[in-house]
């Protein structure tokens, strides 16, 4: 499909779907810094119903719907400037030139934006992550969400939040959810139509919730790099794990239960569902051939501490992603107590406490 048709497809998508509930209005209410230049900020998110498994590796279409909470900590700020005359994209991460796979993923993403915009100029991209190295919070979600918003604005693509979430998805699946604040669902999209219909129908949007005042306590039990990337682990699990299909089916039920629990503001139910969904995801990996095991003895120690909190009447529930670190969902009022217990169990690992965070935003010149 040519650039013209791509851009048309994005616009027609917007005309049929109402703009998503207000949370990213700011994306459209401010202007880019200067022609061809834009700066955006986005926050990480943690899935309560996990995205695990793709059905299309190129378009990054997931096998299942997922649902997350955007955090109010560790934003990524990304500036994109068109660079007429440059013969390659210049990409820096935290002031250092990006290399290898990290650079390639960003260049491939910029190529997609240029194709849609009918643009040819290379870009200068500066990204500042505030996530401490090895914090156990992947920066790819906030990173590609910020890049999608900044690059679309810098190249003059006028996309609504839904279309921006689809664009961010192409950088990293979980990035689609960081376009929005608070609780967010990412639809797997239609499987019965054309490739274009599948692409158009796989987007994120906010999830309405009842009164919830949650906190997420992040326990970093191992800050080192992981042996197997989430991309590779996902692929191996889908291809070889006999537990994958049953988990994918039950994850659909978990999502329906989760929406109801969020709607009535039932934090204990939200936590229970999130915990069983995450443990199920890890079970699929343990059954992969060869097994992918991210959970370490320290992870299990923290999980025991979470069980101990529950025995003492504190609503605390754990979730883990593609790594050994544990995120504990609890009531904001209990966050200090949960953090103390988790800190003791995490044996010196760093503890971060997050609350629901904001949508991605395009910044004006003053930030
Ligand atoms: O978006 P990726 O490719 O980094 O995959 C993220 C997968 C999990 O973090 C394990 C689950 C999720 O839904 O975020």
């Amino acid at each position: 499909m040519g650039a013209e048709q791509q851009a048309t497809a994005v616009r027609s998508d917007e005309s049929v779907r109402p703009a998503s509930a207000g949370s990213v209005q700011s994306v459209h209410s401010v202007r880019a810094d200067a022609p061809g230049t834009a700066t955006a900020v986005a926050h990480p998110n943690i899935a309560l119903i996990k995205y695990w498994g793709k059905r299309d590796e190129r378009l990054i279409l997931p096998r299942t719907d997922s649902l997350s909470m955007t955090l109010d900590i560790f934003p990524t700020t990304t500036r994109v400037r068109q660079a007429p005359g440059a013969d390659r994209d210049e990409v820096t991460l935290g002031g250092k030139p990006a290399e290898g796979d990290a650079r390639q993923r960003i260049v491939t993403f910029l190529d997609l934006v240029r194709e849609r915009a009918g643009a040819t100029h290379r870009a200068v991209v500066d990204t500042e992550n505030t996530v401490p190295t090895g914090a156990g919070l992947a920066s790819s979600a906030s990173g590609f969400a910020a890049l999608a918003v900044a690059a679309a604005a810098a190249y003059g693509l006028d996309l609504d939040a839904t279309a921006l979430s689809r664009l961010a998805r192409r950088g990293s699946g979980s990035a689609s959810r960081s376009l929005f604040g608070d609780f967010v669902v990412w639809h797997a999209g239609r499987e019965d139509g054309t490739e274009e219909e599948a692409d158009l129908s796989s987007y994120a949007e906010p999830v309405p919730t009842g009164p919830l005042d949650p906190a997420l306590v992040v326990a970093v039990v191992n800050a080192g790099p992981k042996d197997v990337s989430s991309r590779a682990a996902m692929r191996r699990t889908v291809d070889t794990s006999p537990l994958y299909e049953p988990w994918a089916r039950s994850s659909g039920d978990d999502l329906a239960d989760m929406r109801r629990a969020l709607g009535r503001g039932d934090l204990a139910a939200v936590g229970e569902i999130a915990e069983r969904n995450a443990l199920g995801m890890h079970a699929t990996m343990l059954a992969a051939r060869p097994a992918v095991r991210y959970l370490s003895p320290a992870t299990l120690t923290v999980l025991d501490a979470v069980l101990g909190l529950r025995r003492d009447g504190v609503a605390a529930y754990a979730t883990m992603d593609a790594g050994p670190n544990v995120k504990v969902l609890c009531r904001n009022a209990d966050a200090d107590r949960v953090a103390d217990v988790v800190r003791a169990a995490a044996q010196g690992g760093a503890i971060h406490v997050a609350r629901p965070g904001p949508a991605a935003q395009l910044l004006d010149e003053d930030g």
Side-chain angles (χ1 to χ4, degrees):
M1 188 194 287
E4 279 297 299
Q5 286 163 296
Q6 285 263 13
T8 309
V10 169
R11 277 196 295 272
S12 66
D13 168 37
E14 285 151 25
S15 62
V16 293
R17 202 173 8 259
S20 311
S23 53
V24 279
Q25 277 168 355
S26 45
V27 167
H28 304 288
S29 60
V30 291
R31 299 176 66 83
D33 314 359
T37 303
T39 305
V41 61
H43 289 74
N45 70 76
I46 294 296
L48 303 179
I49 302 292
K50 301 296 183 186
Y51 150 52
W52 194 249
K54 298 179 181 58
R55 67 180 199 278
D56 186 315
E57 297 259 348
R58 188 180 64 85
L59 294 174
I60 312 204
L61 296 171
R63 287 287 310 270
T64 57
D65 298 340
S66 57
L67 188 150
S68 59
M69 183 176 108
T70 301
L71 309 187
D72 65 345
I73 55 173
F74 304 143
T76 299
T77 305
T78 297
R79 183 167 184 267
V80 177
R81 178 167 63 82
Q82 287 197 49
D87 60 0
R88 74 196 291 269
D89 293 309
E90 197 185 295
V91 182
T92 60
L93 297 172
K96 296 198 191 82
E99 284 161 17
D101 188 45
R103 181 192 141 74
Q104 193 47 52
R105 281 178 70 181
I106 292 170
V107 171
T108 303
F109 188 82
L110 292 169
D111 286 340
L112 176 67
V113 172
R114 281 187 284 256
E115 186 193 329
R116 289 192 178 176
T120 51
H121 292 156
R122 303 284 116 191
V124 177
V125 178
D126 297 307
T127 291
E128 291 295 336
N129 276 321
T130 55
V131 188
T133 310
L137 290 169
S139 54
S140 66
S142 52
F144 277 102
L147 181 63
V149 174
Y155 281 97
L157 283 177
D158 184 20
L159 305 181
D160 71 2
T162 307
L164 284 168
S165 79
R166 289 176 38 236
L167 180 62
R169 187 195 86 215
R170 298 290 295 273
S172 177
S174 54
S176 64
R177 300 185 308 239
S178 277
L179 256 294
F180 300 94
D182 299 331
F183 291 87
V184 183
V185 64
W186 169 26
H187 302 286
R190 284 181 56 179
E191 295 195 35
D192 57 349
T194 62
E195 204 177 60
E196 188 181 350
E197 283 165 341
D199 178 30
L200 288 172
S201 56
S202 184
Y203 58 90
E205 65 180 342
V207 175
T209 67
L212 274 172
D213 192 13
L216 198 74
V217 176
V218 180
V220 181
V221 299
N222 184 341
K226 49 191 167 202
D227 295 340
V228 188
S229 72
S230 62
R231 243 166 219 224
M234 238 181 241
R235 197 176 301 139
R236 191 192 298 170
T237 305
V238 174
D239 290 348
T240 70
S241 174
L243 298 191
Y244 182 73
E245 292 302 335
W247 174 79
R249 271 196 303 279
S250 69
S251 196
D253 298 337
D254 287 347
L255 184 93
D257 291 348
M258 179 63 86
R259 278 179 176 279
R260 282 190 288 270
L262 285 171
R264 56 178 196 271
D266 184 345
L267 186 119
V270 168
E272 253 170 49
I273 300 161
E275 190 173 289
R276 77 184 184 215
N277 188 268
L279 289 170
M281 175 184 79
H282 282 276
T284 69
M285 298 183 219
L286 290 170
R289 295 158 192 189
V292 181
R293 184 172 64 84
Y294 288 121
L295 310 184
S296 68
T299 310
L300 300 182
T301 304
V302 176
L303 291 182
D304 277 347
V306 170
L307 277 180
L309 279 162
R310 289 217 288 271
R311 271 197 297 272
D312 292 344
V314 179
Y317 301 88
T319 184
M320 294 80 63
D321 292 290
N325 303 315
V326 186
K327 294 98 184 183
V328 184
L329 184 76
C330 62
R331 291 198 173 86
N332 196 18
D334 293 330
D336 288 346
R337 176 166 177 195
V338 171
D340 286 346
V341 169
V342 165
R343 184 176 293 110
Q347 297 150 15
I351 303 294
H352 308 279
V353 181
R355 274 101 194 169
Q361 289 190 25
L362 192 61
L363 301 181
D364 61 20
E365 271 173 75
D366 305 322

